[in-house]
């Protein structure tokens, strides 16, 4: 048994990592705590992989706004790190970052405790390194987790693809995909499904990949997509994203395919709005907030495209892409947006009423202020 998992919980020592302050965006008095779950009851996303594969860097860049260059100075993870990211984010779950040297077949490792309330398992493979050992670790990890909890979503991040040519990226992804699935087929686990993503912390691909991971944990995703489809069809909007402001993860978008360039534009717009609001939107004494009920922004590009951002609630922003000629109907767009925001709030109210009616039963995993008209699985993020 190693020092990585010899604490009182029988699975490993861990350190708590701070998140953004709870009053990010709204006045302290307006920041209600929607959570009724303790930390241990919240669903988990497990980050696993070999040493130096980039797990901790992903966590810091996505959820703590660390600059990619700063991650070069991160030390290798020596123990399980639990990071509760629900303090200021719409999404409520924990990220558990596991050191690469953990042996899941060690008798001291409590698989039931680790994988039992797990929503998703993200396995990170370094694309710039020899990955045969990583594939063996991937196979042993997912087969062990699947036996404990077959509802887990298994995600594979083929990481550090920056600097690799597009052709080589596709070749690596195809090879890893083929080898991993062949091993599962040989083990008789054809029903175990792996999703693969090419990622890098030096571009928006890591945010795109984590968005996909989180969306799979939201049972009401089709409802949100339908609301966005109705909004864009009635408003002349070409693309719309529902963003978690802090992490820049989009929890939903309309049914049209996501263009990476459009997603990057929307992410950059959120950064610009928050940064400018922090400089010019606060009072002289520093009071106020960078993101509140009045947050609204319009950016007109030089190609007749307009980016339009509106606050949905203290955690969410709607970012739309539309043509300049369609933006002339600003009143119609704003009216439709209000209808959309009210519909989102109704979804929240259903959840709150359901929790009250069930005696605040917290068996389902949750999202801040979110609603679920049906009972959620305990490995789902509920909206």
């Amino acid at each position: 048994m190693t020092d990585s998992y010899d604490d009182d919980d029988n699975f490993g020592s861990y350190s708590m990592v701070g998140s953004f302050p709870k009053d990010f965006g709204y006045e302290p008095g307006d920041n209600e705590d929607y959570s009724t779950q303790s930390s241990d009851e919240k669903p988990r996303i497990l980050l696993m992989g070999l040493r130096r594969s980039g797990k901790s860097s992903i966590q810091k860049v996505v959820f703590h706004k660390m600059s990619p260059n700063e991650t070069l100075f991160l030390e290798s993870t020596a123990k399980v790190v639990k990071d509760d990211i629900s303090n200021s984010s719409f999404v409520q779950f924990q990220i558990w970052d596991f050191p690469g040297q953990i042996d899941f077949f060690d008798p001291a490792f409590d698989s039931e405790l680790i994988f039992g309330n797990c929503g998703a398992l993200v396995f990170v493979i370094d694309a710039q390194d020899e990955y045969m050992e990583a594939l063996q670790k991937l196979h042993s990890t997912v087969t062990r987790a699947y036996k404990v909890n077959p509802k887990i979503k298994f995600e594979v991040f083929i990481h550090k693809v920056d600097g690799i040519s597009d052709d080589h990226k596709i070749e690596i992804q195809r090879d890893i995909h083929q080898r991993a699935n062949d091993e599962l087929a040989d083990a008789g686990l054809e029903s175990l499904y792996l999703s693969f993503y090419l990622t890098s912390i030096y571009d928006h691909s890591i945010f795109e990949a984590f968005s996909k991971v989180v969306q799979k944990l939201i049972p009401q995703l089709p409802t949100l997509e339908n609301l966005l489809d109705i909004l864009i069809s009635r408003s002349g909007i070409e693309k719309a994203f529902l963003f978690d402001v802090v992490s820049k993860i989009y929890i939903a978008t309309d049914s049209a395919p996501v263009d990476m360039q459009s997603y990057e534009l929307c992410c950059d717009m959120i950064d610009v709005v928050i940064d400018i609001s922090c400089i010019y939107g606060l009072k002289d004494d520093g009071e106020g907030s960078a993101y509140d009920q009045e947050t609204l922004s319009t950016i007109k590009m030089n190609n007749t495209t307009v980016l339009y951002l509106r606050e949905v609630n203290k955690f969410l922003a709607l970012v739309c892409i539309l043509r300049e000629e369609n933006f002339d109907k600003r009143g119609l767009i704003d009216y439709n947006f209000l209808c959309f925001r009210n519909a989102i709030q109704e979804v929240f109210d259903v959840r709150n009423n359901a929790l009250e009616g069930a005696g605040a039963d917290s068996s389902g995993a949750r999202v801040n202020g979110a609603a679920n008209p049906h009972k959620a699985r305990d490995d789902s993020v509920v909206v």
Side-chain angles (χ1 to χ4, degrees), residues 159-379:
H159 196 49
K160 301 183 184 179
V161 297
D162 46 282
I164 300 178
S165 67
D166 290 341
D167 290 342
H168 193 34
K169 289 179 188 178
I170 301 302
E171 182 182 342
I172 291 174
Q173 183 179 19
R174 185 184 298 114
D175 188 43
I176 290 177
H177 183 280
Q178 184 68 43
R179 292 177 183 273
N181 283 295
D182 284 349
E183 289 189 4
L184 291 176
D186 293 341
L189 295 173
E190 293 88 349
S191 58
L192 196 162
Y193 181 75
L194 302 176
S195 297
F196 296 85
Y197 307 88
L198 294 169
T199 61
S200 170
I201 59 173
Y202 291 96
D203 57 33
H204 290 82
S205 60
I206 190 61
F207 295 95
E208 163 80 6
F210 240 108
S211 297
K212 296 295 186 182
V213 172
V214 171
Q215 288 169 27
K216 291 181 181 179
L217 303 180
I218 301 177
Q220 286 72 26
L221 180 63
T223 302
L224 296 178
E225 289 182 349
N226 186 47
L227 289 174
L228 288 166
D229 281 339
I230 295 172
L231 174 66
I232 68 172
S233 65
R234 301 293 192 272
S235 308
I237 296 171
E238 295 191 354
K239 190 66 181 172
F241 295 91
L242 194 57
F243 274 96
D244 174 61
V245 176
V246 174
S247 65
K248 291 186 297 185
I249 286 176
Y250 68 93
I251 67 164
T253 184
D254 57 86
S255 56
V258 175
D259 174 57
M260 195 63 183
Q261 191 174 24
S262 299
Y263 173 64
E264 291 175 2
L265 278 174
C266 294
C267 285
D268 291 341
M269 184 182 190
I270 292 176
D271 285 336
V272 169
V273 170
I274 298 299
D275 290 344
I276 292 180
S277 296
C278 287
I279 299 173
Y280 300 106
L282 303 181
K283 299 177 182 178
D284 293 338
D285 56 2
E287 294 296 323
S289 58
Y291 184 76
D292 56 25
Q293 297 94 330
E294 303 301 321
T295 297
L296 179 153
S297 178
T298 304
I299 298 178
K300 294 186 177 181
M301 313 293 287
N302 59 5
N303 60 352
T304 71
T305 298
V306 174
L307 302 180
Y308 189 47
L309 180 147
R310 290 292 301 264
E311 178 263 3
V312 176
N313 63 30
K314 65 185 65 178
F315 302 106
L316 295 179
L318 177 73
V319 185
C320 305
I321 301 174
L322 65 160
R323 293 293 176 186
E324 193 170 348
E325 57 267 23
N326 292 332
F327 195 65
D328 292 339
K329 303 175 183 178
R330 173 73 177 274
L332 174 64
I333 294 173
D334 287 343
Y335 175 79
N336 288 340
F337 167 76
L338 292 177
C339 295
F340 171 80
R341 183 163 62 179
N342 290 337
I344 294 290
Q345 187 58 50
E346 287 182 17
V347 178
F348 297 170
D349 292 340
V350 171
R351 165 201 167 267
N352 293 332
N353 294 336
L355 286 178
E356 292 174 1
D361 178 14
S362 60
S363 62
R366 310 150 21 99
V367 169
N368 272 330
N372 182 13
H374 308 288
K375 184 175 179 181
R377 300 198 318 262
D378 57 0
D379 61 346

